Amino acid sequence: ETLLTQSPATLSVSPGDRVTLSCRASQSVSSNVAWYQQKAGQSPRLLIYGASSRATGIPARFSGRGSGTEFTLTISSLQSEDFAVYYCQQYYNWPPSITFGQGTRLEIK
Amino acid sequence: EVQLVQSGAEMKKPGESLRISCTGSGYTFTDYWIAWVRQMPGKGLEWVGFIYPGDSDARYSPSFQGQVSISVDNAVNTAYLQWSSLKTSDTALYYCARHAQRSFYSAFDPWGQGTLVTVSS
Protein backbone atom coordinates (compact mmCIF):
# COMPACT_ATOMS: atom_id res chain seq x y z
CA GLU A 1 0.00 0.00 0.00
CA THR A 2 1.25 3.47 -0.86
CA LEU A 3 1.44 5.71 2.20
CA LEU A 4 0.97 9.47 1.89
CA THR A 5 2.57 11.71 4.50
CA GLN A 6 1.38 15.30 4.75
CA SER A 7 3.29 18.05 6.47
CA PRO A 8 2.86 19.96 8.58
CA ALA A 9 -0.09 18.54 10.52
CA THR A 10 -1.21 22.03 11.51
CA LEU A 11 -0.25 25.41 10.13
CA SER A 12 -1.09 28.72 11.82
CA VAL A 13 -1.32 31.43 9.20
CA SER A 14 -2.85 34.84 8.58
CA PRO A 15 -5.20 36.02 5.83
CA GLY A 16 -3.14 37.18 2.86
CA ASP A 17 -0.29 34.76 3.57
CA ARG A 18 1.11 32.46 0.91
CA VAL A 19 1.13 28.87 2.14
CA THR A 20 2.52 25.64 0.75
CA LEU A 21 1.35 22.25 1.94
CA SER A 22 3.40 19.13 1.32
CA CYS A 23 2.44 15.53 0.50
CA ARG A 24 5.03 12.78 0.13
CA ALA A 25 4.29 9.31 -1.26
CA SER A 26 6.12 6.18 -0.10
CA GLN A 27 6.54 5.13 -3.75
CA SER A 28 5.97 6.76 -7.10
CA VAL A 29 2.36 7.57 -7.96
CA SER A 30 3.18 9.37 -11.20
CA SER A 31 0.87 12.43 -11.30
CA ASN A 32 -2.19 10.60 -9.96
CA VAL A 33 -2.64 12.90 -6.98
CA ALA A 34 -5.62 14.99 -5.93
CA TRP A 35 -6.11 17.59 -3.21
CA TYR A 36 -9.33 18.13 -1.27
CA GLN A 37 -10.54 20.83 1.08
CA GLN A 38 -12.83 19.93 3.96
CA LYS A 39 -14.46 22.58 6.11
CA ALA A 40 -16.04 21.72 9.43
CA GLY A 41 -19.37 19.92 8.99
CA GLN A 42 -18.99 19.71 5.21
CA SER A 43 -18.11 17.06 2.66
CA PRO A 44 -14.66 17.19 1.06
CA ARG A 45 -14.38 19.28 -2.10
CA LEU A 46 -12.02 18.50 -4.97
CA LEU A 47 -9.49 21.27 -5.57
CA ILE A 48 -6.75 19.74 -7.71
CA TYR A 49 -6.50 16.55 -9.77
CA GLY A 50 -3.70 15.10 -11.84
CA ALA A 51 -1.31 16.84 -9.42
CA SER A 52 -1.72 20.26 -11.06
CA SER A 53 -5.13 20.69 -12.74
CA ARG A 54 -7.69 22.84 -10.96
CA ALA A 55 -11.17 21.39 -10.64
CA THR A 56 -14.14 23.29 -12.04
CA GLY A 57 -14.88 26.47 -10.14
CA ILE A 58 -11.71 26.45 -8.01
CA PRO A 59 -10.08 29.89 -7.68
CA ALA A 60 -6.74 30.49 -9.34
CA ARG A 61 -5.07 31.14 -5.96
CA PHE A 62 -4.98 27.33 -5.53
CA SER A 63 -2.21 25.55 -7.44
CA GLY A 64 -0.67 22.10 -7.33
CA ARG A 65 2.72 20.80 -8.38
CA GLY A 66 4.73 17.62 -8.33
CA SER A 67 5.15 14.15 -9.73
CA GLY A 68 6.58 10.85 -8.56
CA THR A 69 6.71 11.08 -4.77
CA GLU A 70 6.70 14.80 -3.92
CA PHE A 71 3.65 17.03 -4.24
CA THR A 72 2.65 20.48 -3.04
CA LEU A 73 -0.51 22.54 -2.81
CA THR A 74 0.02 26.30 -2.73
CA ILE A 75 -2.53 28.94 -1.79
CA SER A 76 -1.14 32.21 -3.06
CA SER A 77 -3.07 34.59 -0.78
CA LEU A 78 -5.15 33.06 1.97
CA GLN A 79 -8.74 34.15 2.22
CA SER A 80 -10.87 33.71 5.33
CA GLU A 81 -12.84 30.93 3.65
CA ASP A 82 -9.66 28.89 3.08
CA PHE A 83 -9.20 27.92 6.73
CA ALA A 84 -9.98 24.21 6.61
CA VAL A 85 -8.36 20.78 6.53
CA TYR A 86 -6.59 19.75 3.30
CA TYR A 87 -6.07 16.15 2.22
CA CYS A 88 -3.97 14.72 -0.56
CA GLN A 89 -5.01 11.46 -2.25
CA GLN A 90 -3.32 9.05 -4.64
CA TYR A 91 -5.19 6.92 -7.17
CA TYR A 92 -2.32 5.22 -8.98
CA ASN A 93 -1.90 1.70 -7.69
CA TRP A 94 -2.72 -1.60 -9.30
CA PRO A 95 -4.56 -3.57 -8.00
CA PRO A 96 -6.73 -0.53 -7.43
CA SER A 97 -5.93 0.99 -4.09
CA ILE A 98 -6.60 4.54 -3.01
CA THR A 99 -5.01 6.25 -0.05
CA PHE A 100 -5.33 9.63 1.60
CA GLY A 101 -2.83 11.62 3.57
CA GLN A 102 -3.64 12.33 7.20
CA GLY A 103 -4.50 15.96 6.47
CA THR A 104 -3.11 19.44 7.16
CA ARG A 105 -5.21 21.85 9.20
CA LEU A 106 -4.92 25.55 8.41
CA GLU A 107 -5.62 27.66 11.50
CA ILE A 108 -5.94 31.39 11.90
CA LYS A 109 -2.86 32.82 13.63
CA GLU B 1 -25.95 19.13 -12.21
CA VAL B 2 -24.20 15.97 -11.08
CA GLN B 3 -25.36 15.11 -7.57
CA LEU B 4 -25.08 12.30 -5.05
CA VAL B 5 -27.68 12.11 -2.27
CA GLN B 6 -27.14 9.76 0.65
CA SER B 7 -29.59 8.18 3.05
CA GLY B 8 -30.13 9.57 6.54
CA ALA B 9 -28.34 9.01 9.81
CA GLU B 10 -28.60 5.58 11.42
CA MET B 11 -28.37 4.44 15.03
CA LYS B 12 -27.82 0.72 15.49
CA LYS B 13 -26.77 -1.83 18.11
CA PRO B 14 -23.68 -4.06 17.82
CA GLY B 15 -24.42 -7.18 15.81
CA GLU B 16 -27.21 -5.60 13.78
CA SER B 17 -27.14 -5.33 10.00
CA LEU B 18 -27.30 -2.10 8.02
CA ARG B 19 -27.43 -0.86 4.44
CA ILE B 20 -26.90 2.79 3.55
CA SER B 21 -27.47 4.26 0.11
CA CYS B 22 -26.16 6.81 -2.36
CA THR B 23 -28.34 7.92 -5.28
CA GLY B 24 -26.81 9.59 -8.29
CA SER B 25 -28.45 12.04 -10.67
CA GLY B 26 -27.48 14.34 -13.51
CA TYR B 27 -25.30 11.80 -15.34
CA THR B 28 -25.30 8.27 -16.76
CA PHE B 29 -25.04 6.27 -13.55
CA THR B 30 -23.56 3.15 -15.15
CA ASP B 31 -20.59 5.02 -16.67
CA TYR B 32 -18.72 6.09 -13.52
CA TRP B 33 -17.18 4.30 -10.55
CA ILE B 34 -18.69 5.14 -7.15
CA ALA B 35 -16.45 5.07 -4.08
CA TRP B 36 -17.18 4.90 -0.36
CA VAL B 37 -15.03 6.74 2.18
CA ARG B 38 -15.05 6.50 5.98
CA GLN B 39 -14.34 9.34 8.37
CA MET B 40 -14.22 8.35 12.02
CA PRO B 41 -14.99 11.06 14.60
CA GLY B 42 -12.31 13.73 14.49
CA LYS B 43 -10.17 11.72 12.06
CA GLY B 44 -9.14 11.72 8.40
CA LEU B 45 -10.46 10.10 5.25
CA GLU B 46 -10.15 6.36 4.56
CA TRP B 47 -11.03 4.67 1.29
CA VAL B 48 -13.45 1.75 1.86
CA GLY B 49 -13.89 0.53 -1.70
CA PHE B 50 -15.58 1.27 -5.00
CA ILE B 51 -17.91 -0.25 -7.54
CA TYR B 52 -18.47 0.09 -11.28
CA PRO B 53 -22.26 0.14 -11.80
CA GLY B 54 -21.83 -0.97 -15.41
CA ASP B 55 -20.93 -4.52 -14.37
CA SER B 56 -21.07 -4.42 -10.52
CA ASP B 57 -17.30 -4.95 -10.30
CA ALA B 58 -16.47 -4.05 -6.68
CA ARG B 59 -13.02 -3.60 -5.15
CA TYR B 60 -12.20 -3.11 -1.50
CA SER B 61 -9.45 -1.66 0.62
CA PRO B 62 -7.58 -4.48 2.41
CA SER B 63 -8.65 -2.83 5.68
CA PHE B 64 -12.32 -3.27 4.83
CA GLN B 65 -12.28 -6.50 2.76
CA GLY B 66 -14.74 -8.96 4.32
CA GLN B 67 -16.11 -6.31 6.71
CA VAL B 68 -18.48 -4.55 4.31
CA SER B 69 -20.18 -5.17 0.99
CA ILE B 70 -20.76 -2.69 -1.85
CA SER B 71 -23.53 -3.17 -4.39
CA VAL B 72 -25.66 -1.23 -6.86
CA ASP B 73 -29.22 -1.14 -8.19
CA ASN B 74 -29.06 0.51 -11.60
CA ALA B 75 -32.86 0.65 -11.87
CA VAL B 76 -32.81 3.38 -9.20
CA ASN B 77 -29.30 4.77 -9.82
CA THR B 78 -28.24 3.80 -6.30
CA ALA B 79 -25.11 2.37 -4.72
CA TYR B 80 -25.13 0.70 -1.33
CA LEU B 81 -22.71 0.04 1.51
CA GLN B 82 -23.75 -2.84 3.72
CA TRP B 83 -22.73 -4.45 7.00
CA SER B 84 -23.99 -7.86 8.16
CA SER B 85 -22.87 -7.45 11.78
CA LEU B 86 -22.00 -3.97 13.02
CA LYS B 87 -19.32 -3.22 15.61
CA THR B 88 -19.00 -0.14 17.79
CA SER B 89 -15.82 0.63 15.81
CA ASP B 90 -17.98 1.12 12.68
CA THR B 91 -19.25 4.38 14.18
CA ALA B 92 -18.30 7.01 11.61
CA LEU B 93 -19.45 9.34 8.87
CA TYR B 94 -19.57 7.54 5.53
CA TYR B 95 -19.34 9.42 2.25
CA CYS B 96 -19.99 8.23 -1.25
CA ALA B 97 -18.20 9.95 -4.10
CA ARG B 98 -18.21 9.59 -7.86
CA HIS B 99 -14.98 9.20 -9.75
CA ALA B 100 -14.54 12.31 -11.85
CA GLN B 101 -13.56 10.40 -15.00
CA ARG B 102 -14.74 7.12 -16.55
CA SER B 103 -11.85 5.33 -14.86
CA PHE B 104 -11.01 4.36 -11.32
CA TYR B 105 -7.69 6.16 -11.94
CA SER B 106 -9.34 9.47 -11.22
CA ALA B 107 -10.16 11.82 -8.37
CA PHE B 108 -13.46 11.97 -6.52
CA ASP B 109 -15.98 14.59 -7.61
CA PRO B 110 -18.65 15.17 -6.48
CA TRP B 111 -19.18 13.81 -2.97
CA GLY B 112 -22.41 12.98 -1.22
CA GLN B 113 -23.43 14.80 1.95
CA GLY B 114 -22.40 11.89 4.19
CA THR B 115 -24.33 9.38 6.31
CA LEU B 116 -23.61 9.23 10.04
CA VAL B 117 -23.64 5.69 11.39
CA THR B 118 -23.66 5.32 15.18
CA VAL B 119 -23.27 1.87 16.71
CA SER B 120 -23.84 1.68 20.43
CA SER B 121 -25.38 -0.72 22.89
Side-chain angles (χ1 to χ4, degrees), chain B residues 23-61:
Chain B
T23 300
S25 62
Y27 71 100
T28 303
F29 185 73
T30 51
D31 281 355
Y32 292 82
W33 293 75
I34 294 276
W36 287 95
V37 175
R38 183 176 78 174
Q39 188 167 39
M40 299 180 79
K43 302 299 184 183
L45 305 172
E46 301 172 90
W47 176 64
V48 175
F50 49 35
I51 190 164
Y52 185 65
D55 60 7
S56 297
D57 181 11
R59 310 293 179 99
Y60 299 88
S61 161

Side-chain angles (χ1 to χ4, degrees), chain A residues 36 38 43 91-94 96, chain B residues 39 50 95 104-106 108 112:
Chain A
Y36 300 88
Q38 187 178 33
S43 303
Y91 46 90
Y92 178 72
N93 297 120
W94 181 265
Chain B
Q39 188 167 39
F50 49 35
Y95 293 102
F104 52 67
Y105 290 121
S106 62
F108 295 170

Side-chain angles (χ1 to χ4, degrees), chain A residues 2-3 19 30 32 35 43 47 52 54 76 79 95-96 98 100 103:
Chain A
T2 300
L3 298 181
V19 297
S30 185
N32 288 21
W35 290 89
S43 303
L47 298 175
S52 60
R54 271 190 304 277
S76 60
Q79 306 297 302
I98 291 170
F100 291 91

